[in-house]
Amino acid sequence: MRVRKLTLAAMALAAGLSLTACQNDDGGSDQGAAPPASSAASSSNGGSGSAGSDQQDGSDSAGKSPNGTGGTDGTGGSGGAGEDGKAAKCSTDELEITAIDATVGGDAEGTVAVDLKNGGGRDCSLAGYAGVDLKTNSGTVSAERTGDPAPRIVLGDGETVTFGITYPINDSGGSGVRITGLVVTPPDETKSVTLDWPGGSSLPVTDGSGTPVRVGPLGSAGQGG
């Protein structure tokens, strides 16, 4: 009987140990379920990483912002725009317009240089060609443009820009077409100024096939200027 009891006790003890082992295995599997929770936490961190990535994009944007703001690129651009944008168009009333004979001996054509001086007390801008008409005893002769590039020019107060007028010299020995005055209209203006003509007193009489009177863009002084 004692031997049997001991055997039964041993069997009970073995069964208890087996049950405990099973419970430990279940606990391990429960703990094994923890990694998904840890994954979820990692995903949450990943979410913050995504936000961090957004912030990185944002910081990239912020980093690009100085360049994009015209940034320094914009300053150059804005510098050019400032010159053009801040300086309004020069009006006829702001300009002191004068003309001088600029013909050089030996030139095949005569040249008159016209100065436009900014007397408006502020910066102003000009671009293109001035309108030029010669008043003659036979009517008005309008100058043709040379077609050369005509960049925009910003004139500070007191500064001057010059352009040239070229015309055929009357060496025919005849009286030709007598010039009585010079009419200058600044670019983009309708108001004109009439000046004394400082060049040769007359143009040769032609049938229209001769050398025309021509005007250069602002910044050109003509052949002799």
Side-chain angles (χ1 to χ4, degrees):
M1 285 293 295
R2 182 175 181 79
V3 172
R4 187 175 178 185
K5 285 180 182 180
L6 288 175
T7 301
L8 290 175
M11 290 176 61
L13 179 59
L17 290 174
S18 173
L19 179 59
T20 301
C22 289
Q23 288 174 347
N24 286 340
D25 286 344
D26 289 343
S29 120
D30 288 343
Q31 289 174 0
S38 159
S39 291
S42 155
S43 170
S44 166
N45 291 337
S48 92
S50 211
S53 168
D54 291 342
Q55 289 171 1
Q56 180 63 41
D57 291 343
S59 88
D60 283 347
S61 295
K64 291 176 184 174
S65 178
N67 296 333
T69 53
T72 12
D73 293 345
T75 41
S78 109
E83 288 179 359
D84 292 345
K86 292 178 184 176
K89 180 187 71 174
C90 299
S91 69
T92 302
D93 291 336
E94 292 177 299
L95 299 171
E96 299 171 18
I97 304 175
T98 55
I100 61 170
D101 183 10
T103 305
V104 173
D107 282 351
E109 295 180 319
T111 302
V112 166
V114 179
D115 289 341
L116 280 65
K117 181 179 180 180
N118 177 13
R122 65 181 179 94
D123 290 357
C124 65
S125 64
L126 290 166
Y129 287 76
V132 169
D133 297 295
L134 301 188
K135 295 171 72 174
T136 77
N137 61 345
S138 297
T140 299
V141 176
S142 296
E144 298 179 6
R145 297 177 177 182
T146 60
D148 294 329
R152 181 170 295 277
I153 296 170
V154 176
L155 289 180
D157 184 38
E159 292 183 343
T160 299
V161 64
T162 303
F163 68 87
I165 303 168
T166 56
Y167 61 95
I169 296 174
N170 180 20
D171 54 8
S172 65
S175 60
V177 178
R178 188 166 55 88
I179 303 173
T180 60
L182 168 64
V183 181
V184 176
T185 309
D188 297 325
E189 281 289 291
T190 56
K191 186 175 182 179
S192 302
V193 172
T194 300
L195 307 171
D196 291 334
W197 173 251
S201 61
S202 64
L203 299 173
V205 177
T206 69
D207 58 3
S209 61
T211 303
V213 177
R214 292 178 297 182
V215 56
L218 298 177
S220 69
Q223 285 178 303

